[in-house]
Amino acid sequence: MSSATTDRETTYTPSAEFAAQANADRSWYERAETDREGFWAEQARRLHWHTPFSTVLDWSEAPVAQWFPDGELNVAYNCVDRHVLDGHGDQTAIHFVGEPGDTRAMTYRDLLAEVSRAANYLTELGLVAGDRVAIYMPMIPEAVVAILACA
């Protein structure tokens, strides 16, 4: 990196229109700065926890940190299932645009069906929780399905 890029800070201020429709504003940064654990606990509670956490950050084995060590969640459930259960099944979950210009939209309901089908097939093959799976695919919707099915 040249010194010209390290000697100055470049910022790109968003337009007022873009900032107005954003999901977060400067107050989020300020909250995270003043109460880091409280901020992240608040964000984590937006997810579905199968076993709720009671500890936000555990530094007892520093330098290794554990976030929400006593909580348990399912990533795939949080990415797909809960949106369908909350009535958002017909909303677009993935909008894919391929290099030749082909497009594909998958709703949360479509994605849930595909992930469930893939997970059931992996179970039929004998995979169980804790098994390692290598996925070598291009960045296409089926890669997302495979990753979520393994989660």
Side-chain angles (χ1 to χ4, degrees), residues 46-48 76-88:
R46 296 171 62 190
L47 299 171
H48 175 269
Y77 182 90
N78 275 286
C79 289
V80 184
D81 303 54
R82 75 182 184 118
H83 298 292
V84 174
L85 292 172
D86 288 345
H88 303 290

Side-chain angles (χ1 to χ4, degrees), residues 3-21:
S3 62
T5 58
T6 58
D7 291 341
R8 64 189 157 119
E9 184 177 316
T10 303
T11 60
Y12 300 95
T13 305
S15 68
E17 178 182 290
F18 182 84
Q21 58 84 41

Side-chain angles (χ1 to χ4, degrees), residues 15-35:
S15 68
E17 178 182 290
F18 182 84
Q21 58 84 41
N23 292 319
D25 60 25
R26 182 72 190 146
S27 68
W28 283 46
Y29 293 100
E30 294 162 1
R31 169 102 166 89
E33 236 174 58
T34 58
D35 181 12

Side-chain angles (χ1 to χ4, degrees), residues 15-115:
S15 68
E17 178 182 290
F18 182 84
Q21 58 84 41
N23 292 319
D25 60 25
R26 182 72 190 146
S27 68
W28 283 46
Y29 293 100
E30 294 162 1
R31 169 102 166 89
E33 236 174 58
T34 58
D35 181 12
R36 178 177 55 166
E37 289 188 31
F39 174 82
W40 285 113
E42 181 182 306
Q43 301 315 306
R45 286 188 185 101
R46 296 171 62 190
L47 299 171
H48 175 269
W49 290 82
H50 293 294
T51 304
F53 61 90
S54 62
T55 302
V56 175
L57 179 59
D58 177 5
W59 275 103
S60 63
E61 296 182 32
V64 176
Q66 291 186 21
W67 288 91
F68 316 108
D70 57 344
E72 182 180 319
L73 57 75
N74 181 302
V75 172
Y77 182 90
N78 275 286
C79 289
V80 184
D81 303 54
R82 75 182 184 118
H83 298 292
V84 174
L85 292 172
D86 288 345
H88 303 290
D90 293 329
Q91 291 181 350
T92 301
I94 296 175
H95 181 75
F96 173 76
V97 178
E99 288 188 26
D102 56 319
T103 63
R104 181 173 171 203
M106 291 181 75
T107 65
Y108 282 105
R109 186 172 288 106
D110 297 337
L111 185 58
L112 177 59
E114 292 295 321
V115 169

